[in-house]
Amino acid sequence: MYLADRTWPELGEYVASESLAVVPLGSTEQHGPHLPLATDHLIAEHLAREATDRADVLCTPTVNIGVSPHHRQFHGTMWVDAPAFRDYVESLARNLSYHGVDRIVFVNAHGGNTVHLREVGRRLRDDGTAYAIEWMWNDSIPELVDDLFETNGPHGGPKETAMIQHIAPDLVQDGKLDDARDGGIADLDEADVIINGARTFYDSIDNTENGVLGDQTDATAEKGERLFEAAADQLVQLLDWLDEQPCDALMAKPHVDPQPGSRQ
């Protein structure tokens, strides 16, 4: 159920009996010469809308701009500072809790958002407002990703390329897949991003001239469909599980009581 398409009486009927909502989040940032800047938020929104339709769960509008300063050297990349992002998402979640939602899944498709969404989830849980967790689509199906692509890549690689070929094929510049591979880093192991145990880079341009990693020529719409269906199924299962949990079991546990005989 997409929140923005409903009337307020319809939503009142929903929150009277349900308490689960999904918030899709992504980014608006460079994804190489072949993919749109919308890549991450398109993936998040499509997966969230598909899974919530199947599970009959409330889905909010998508947060399209995330924490992306590490792509700032590339034209068009947009970002918000991390504290502003955390505060915004937390405020949005508290808005949902005002309407009766006490469990939230952040459907995330941008790695730069991950740690901040987990921090927001901790804040909300610690004060008893809601149980909110971050879900990243490719983390839900790692074996399939590894099976489909010989040389993947964490950004603008074949997995994201295949997903956009499936959900928004008109936005993929298929004629530039060779350029994406040859102008970036096909194999992350060749980038020397870890030296003596230290991560040595801050921005994507430090490693790749065109901003992407992996072999994009290995992507197809058919592979994207397999990824999409598998990830959507994993999300539906997560929503079903979360919906069944007693609220008390999800909230922070109380302080440990002293053991008998221990000093107070």
Side-chain angles (χ1 to χ4, degrees), residues 97-159:
S97 73
Y98 176 84
H99 292 297
V101 171
D102 63 15
R103 56 204 74 192
I104 300 166
V105 176
F106 296 127
V107 171
N108 179 36
H110 172 52
N113 295 340
T114 300
V115 65
H116 308 294
L117 294 173
R118 290 176 179 167
E119 173 60 24
V120 169
R122 173 172 287 281
R123 292 181 190 177
L124 295 167
R125 183 173 183 259
D126 282 352
D127 66 16
T129 298
Y131 179 78
I133 52 176
E134 183 262 354
W135 179 85
M136 187 81 168
W137 72 270
N138 51 285
D139 289 343
S140 74
I141 50 171
E143 295 86 0
L144 180 58
V145 172
D146 288 343
D147 288 345
L148 290 179
F149 307 111
E150 182 176 349
T151 305
N152 193 23
H155 184 73
K159 66 174 181 251

Side-chain angles (χ1 to χ4, degrees), residues 20 77 119 151 194 228 238-239:
L20 174 60
T77 291
E119 173 60 24
T151 305
I194 304 294
F228 183 88
L238 173 62
L239 296 174

Side-chain angles (χ1 to χ4, degrees), residues 32 57 261-262:
V57 170
S262 65

Side-chain angles (χ1 to χ4, degrees), residues 19-38:
S19 59
L20 174 60
V22 165
V23 179
L25 307 99
S27 67
T28 300
E29 64 180 26
Q30 71 84 17
H31 274 77
H34 62 303
L35 291 180
L37 275 70

